[in-house]
Amino acid sequence: MSDDHSADSPALPTGVDRRSFDGRMRLSTRGGPVYGEPVDSDGWRAWDAGRSKLGAMLELGMDTGLVGGETVLYLGAASGTTVSHVADFAGATYAVEFAPRPVRDLVGVAEARDNLFPLLKDARDPDSYAHVVESGVDCLIMDVATRGQADVAVSNRQFLADDGRLLMAVKARSEDVTADPDEVFADVLSALESAYEIIETERLDRFHADHLGIVARPK
């Protein structure tokens, strides 16, 4: 796996850096460790792009628009691997996860991050957390492995500021395990167009097989 990065790649958000771990320059944020990731003597912890779709998008140089300090709604937070890194550099971070077992881990992650707010809710039912999540968040990050991923992104558009960003990782096999991933991705992009303007897409196969990274802004 190459560690080469184009000189004209978008700048990383403030609070995200490339640090040396085991002789390799890797994405990192500063915060308490969460999933056994290496931490250097200055408190920077490696961000494993092989375990994080957003990390993969940043490693591949996608223009996420993240600058640091954003308010974030994160859908599909699981036990906190990626959202912990997000909370290290973002502002208020609302983390939605529907499975009780991972949420217990997520609550533990949030104990060391006072800007991280775990929500045991279903991302397919945004009305169930509309009373908690502030409107006009800067960024909607989505990694939800379910059929109808585009529908989830569209229904959660209500929380996103008009100048905000959608950062979405589409898992083809969650939509249709038998379909060609390119056809799945085309259908998802078409469904998103009712609410979003697509800015950039890139396959994440270098880190995550049959996944598509999407950057979009609300219409």
Side-chain angles (χ1 to χ4, degrees):
M1 186 179 296
S2 171
D3 288 312
D4 294 338
H5 301 277
S6 172
D8 58 1
S9 293
L12 294 173
T14 299
V16 181
D17 199 1
R18 295 193 186 279
R19 310 282 293 191
S20 179
F21 295 90
D22 300 323
R24 287 196 303 134
M25 298 300 291
R26 299 174 60 181
L27 289 174
S28 58
T29 62
R30 296 187 80 167
V34 170
Y35 52 101
E37 69 279 20
V39 180
D40 71 12
S41 60
D42 294 323
W44 291 88
R45 61 191 187 105
W47 188 346
D48 186 350
R51 296 182 61 173
S52 169
K53 315 307 188 310
L54 179 61
M57 293 170 71
L58 291 170
E59 281 283 16
L60 294 169
M62 295 187 72
D63 189 2
T64 63
L66 293 168
V67 297
E70 292 90 353
T71 54
V72 173
L73 173 58
Y74 192 106
L75 306 180
S79 58
T81 297
T82 296
V83 78
S84 66
H85 286 288
V86 173
D88 286 347
F89 69 83
T93 302
Y94 301 94
V96 174
E97 172 55 43
F98 80 97
R101 178 64 186 88
V103 168
R104 288 198 291 271
D105 294 335
L106 187 58
V107 168
V109 173
E111 288 177 354
R113 293 168 173 83
D114 58 11
N115 63 325
L116 178 58
F117 306 105
L119 300 173
L120 178 58
K121 300 291 183 180
D122 189 333
R124 294 168 296 186
D125 182 18
D127 288 344
S128 69
Y129 47 89
H131 64 293
V132 178
V133 178
E134 61 191 272
S135 60
V137 300
D138 299 311
C139 187
L140 173 60
I141 302 175
M142 183 173 154
D143 180 14
V144 177
T146 185
R147 187 182 296 271
Q149 292 166 85
D151 293 337
V152 175
V154 170
S155 66
N156 280 273
R157 158 67 180 89
Q158 62 182 289
F159 300 108
L160 193 56
D162 289 340
D163 60 350
R165 289 281 179 109
L166 167 68
L167 306 178
M168 180 176 178
V170 179
K171 183 177 181 179
R173 294 184 181 277
S174 291
E175 293 290 343
D176 188 337
V177 72
T178 64
D180 181 276
D182 286 333
E183 294 179 1
V184 171
F185 298 147
D187 289 345
V188 170
L189 289 168
S190 178
L192 286 174
E193 288 177 353
S194 65
Y196 294 97
E197 175 188 352
I198 308 302
I199 300 173
E200 183 181 3
T201 65
E202 186 160 348
R203 289 286 292 260
L204 305 182
D205 296 78
R206 175 178 156 192
F207 299 99
H208 303 277
D210 298 330
H211 282 73
L212 182 72
I214 299 173
V215 180
R217 57 182 164 232
K219 288 184 173 178

